[in-house]
Amino acid sequence: MSRPSLRAEQVAQTRTALVAAGRALFGRRGFAETSVEDLATEARVTTGALYHHFPTKTALFEVVFEELHAELLALAARVAAGAGDETERLVSGFAAFLDAMLRADVQRILVSDAPAVLGLERFVELDERYAVSAISEALRSASAAGRLHAEDPDTLARLLLGALTRGAMLIASAEEPTSARDAVVAAVRSLLGNLSGGSRS
């Protein structure tokens, strides 16, 4: 295959710099407190270059949200892979996702800003885009191994994802986020234990 042209490389570098700027500023200040000029300055590009890649600030935020979401899903998958059995993989993956909610930048982007900036419908669509299939597959594996009963894995996956999202919101709004994280993980473990016919130690 031919090597990308210098122009194509520059375009890709500019887009990468803008997304990195969005990740940094949206995470540190929040969407409302970050201007287009702030983003351009952080990325060391002009506002015109920003608008060439992203028609609105919201469009850039959406890409930042998707990339951060994908990063956390990949982290959860890596942690889950090291667990002892199929049910523990689910618990470990969920716990890793919730651990990330202890970070202020993750809270600000995924929990505080995303529903309002993206709108609830788009937020749910993006939240489910990759997570539902991954959770469904994990539920099918656990069910096939006899670890739990999941009659309708796709529906159950959506319900579990909703619980995780609500759990993330509880952590973000808690006076003691670490305690809230522990309570949410314990509740998830109990829920999955009930699906297997009893709680696991």
Side-chain angles (χ1 to χ4, degrees):
M1 295 178 65
S2 61
R3 182 181 176 184
S5 67
L6 178 60
R7 171 61 180 163
E9 289 181 354
Q10 290 173 336
V11 168
Q13 289 171 358
T14 298
R15 188 180 190 280
T16 298
L18 286 165
V19 174
R23 172 73 174 271
L25 295 182
F26 293 145
R28 189 163 66 243
R29 300 180 185 175
F31 181 85
E33 297 301 318
T34 300
S35 69
V36 168
E37 291 74 18
D38 293 334
L39 292 162
T41 299
E42 180 78 9
R44 298 185 178 182
V45 301
T46 64
T47 55
L50 186 152
Y51 284 122
H52 175 76
H53 289 272
F54 302 99
T56 64
K57 186 173 70 164
T58 299
L60 174 55
F61 180 89
E62 183 171 307
V63 172
V64 170
F65 173 88
E66 285 195 90
E67 290 199 359
L68 178 55
H69 201 282
E71 177 186 306
L72 295 186
L73 288 176
L75 170 64
R78 289 196 301 272
V79 172
D85 62 49
E86 290 79 5
T87 303
E88 275 302 313
R89 286 174 200 158
L90 280 161
V91 174
S92 296
F94 292 159
F97 178 84
L98 293 168
D99 282 345
M101 297 305 147
L102 296 173
R103 290 167 41 192
D105 61 326
V106 173
Q107 285 184 14
R108 195 166 285 120
I109 293 171
L110 293 190
V111 178
S112 301
D113 281 349
V117 173
L118 301 174
L120 184 58
E121 183 176 353
R122 183 62 171 163
F123 170 72
V124 171
E125 178 188 348
L126 293 175
D127 197 35
E128 290 187 350
R129 178 172 290 175
Y130 307 110
V132 166
S133 60
I135 297 171
S136 294
E137 185 172 338
L139 288 169
R140 288 188 173 89
S141 294
S143 186
R147 294 290 180 179
L148 56 78
H149 176 66
E151 186 173 334
D152 184 349
D154 292 338
T155 298
L156 181 56
R158 284 182 166 82
L159 292 173
L160 288 171
L161 180 59
L164 281 179
T165 301
R166 180 58 180 159
M169 292 177 178
L170 289 173
I171 293 167
S173 63
E175 290 186 6
E176 297 184 5
T178 302
S179 296
R181 176 267 179 206
D182 292 344
V184 173
V185 172
V188 169
R189 181 182 293 278
S190 177
L191 175 59
L192 291 172
N194 289 335
L195 292 173
S196 66
S199 60
R200 296 176 61 83
S201 59

